[in-house]
Amino acid sequence: MAQEGIKCPLCGGDLCWDNDFDASDVHDREEDDGGIVSYYHCMNCGRGYEITDPEKDERETTYKKYWHG
């Protein structure tokens, strides 16, 4: 099922969610980082996308306004 509102940056097609994983399981990160890696594919062109949360220290500093209100 396509995720409403999330579009492919190359063709504009709807992205379909495939799966989520803990970022520490997919990338070289601290355990219990709390980040998520989501995988999507475009329903129009078939391209795949990995959307990764920033690392914990970036969520707490650089992107604090978004992640912590």
Side-chain angles (χ1 to χ4, degrees):
M1 177 178 209
Q3 182 82 22
E4 190 173 322
I6 300 178
K7 301 289 185 183
C8 175
L10 297 174
C11 78
D14 291 326
L15 294 186
C16 180
W17 173 79
D18 292 324
N19 217 329
D20 289 331
F21 295 96
D22 290 335
S24 60
D25 291 340
V26 178
H27 297 289
D28 186 26
R29 288 193 178 187
E30 300 176 24
E31 269 190 59
D32 300 326
D33 175 70
I36 300 294
V37 177
S38 299
Y39 291 94
Y40 293 84
H41 72 274
C42 178
M43 298 293 287
N44 188 53
C45 69
R47 288 182 172 94
Y49 293 94
E50 176 185 283
I51 300 174
T52 305
D53 290 347
E55 292 193 29
K56 185 178 181 180
D57 64 327
E58 291 178 315
R59 293 193 308 265
E60 293 174 348
T61 57
T62 306
Y63 305 109
K64 183 177 182 174
K65 186 175 180 180
Y66 174 84
W67 289 94
H68 301 287

